[in-house]
Amino acid sequence: MSENFQLFSIGRIVNRTDTCRIEVDAKYQDAFLGLEQFSHIDVLYWLHENDNPAGRGVLRVHPRGDKTNPLTGIFATHAPVRPNPIAVTRCRILALAGSTITIDTIDARDGSPLIDIKAHI
């Protein structure tokens, strides 16, 4: 088994004060077939602003950056520093148009690379 993998961005997260949406590259639009049947999706994205060797090496943090919280293993937190800076957020679908999904909210930074979308079952 290979220890290296390649991931490809399939779009980007747009998260601004006036809008929150997922812009999927047009070549993946056929993958939307049937998505209108779901109310929620799980969105996987890359924490690109935290992707550095130091962040990948952090194994324990004080949850929410609060030093009064005890040190906790990274896998038991939602901290953005991780061995592989991948995040997942469940989002409510508000609208589908072309290759754009308007959602209620997401905790991603504007411009975060989109890795995948899964219908929430």
Side-chain angles (χ1 to χ4, degrees):
M1 181 171 88
S2 174
E3 292 188 20
N4 295 311
F5 301 90
Q6 277 190 306
L7 290 175
F8 301 96
S9 173
I10 62 166
R12 74 205 66 45
I13 307 296
V14 176
N15 191 3
R16 301 184 185 134
T17 55
D18 63 332
T19 187
C20 194
R21 66 182 182 273
I22 300 164
E23 294 179 346
V24 181
D25 295 342
K27 69 182 179 180
Y28 298 109
Q29 189 170 347
D30 280 351
F32 278 52
L33 183 64
L35 192 58
E36 72 282 350
Q37 299 174 47
F38 296 89
S39 62
H40 290 76
I41 53 176
D42 294 324
V43 180
L44 289 87
Y45 53 95
W46 196 257
L47 298 167
H48 64 297
E49 294 180 3
N50 289 302
D51 189 3
N52 59 66
R56 286 175 175 249
V58 174
L59 300 180
R60 292 181 179 182
V61 296
H62 295 280
R64 302 193 177 269
D66 183 347
K67 300 265 189 206
T68 63
N69 289 328
L71 273 176
T72 305
I74 201 73
F75 297 145
T77 74
H78 285 247
V81 290
R82 315 192 70 75
N84 288 304
I86 298 169
V88 60
T89 301
R90 183 164 302 131
C91 303
R92 185 166 52 96
I93 298 171
L94 300 178
L96 297 168
S99 58
T100 299
I101 306 169
T102 304
I103 54 178
D104 59 342
T105 187
I106 193 166
D107 58 356
R109 300 262 176 121
D110 187 48
S112 293
L114 176 66
I115 297 173
D116 202 356
I117 298 167
K118 298 184 182 298
H120 179 71
I121 300 174

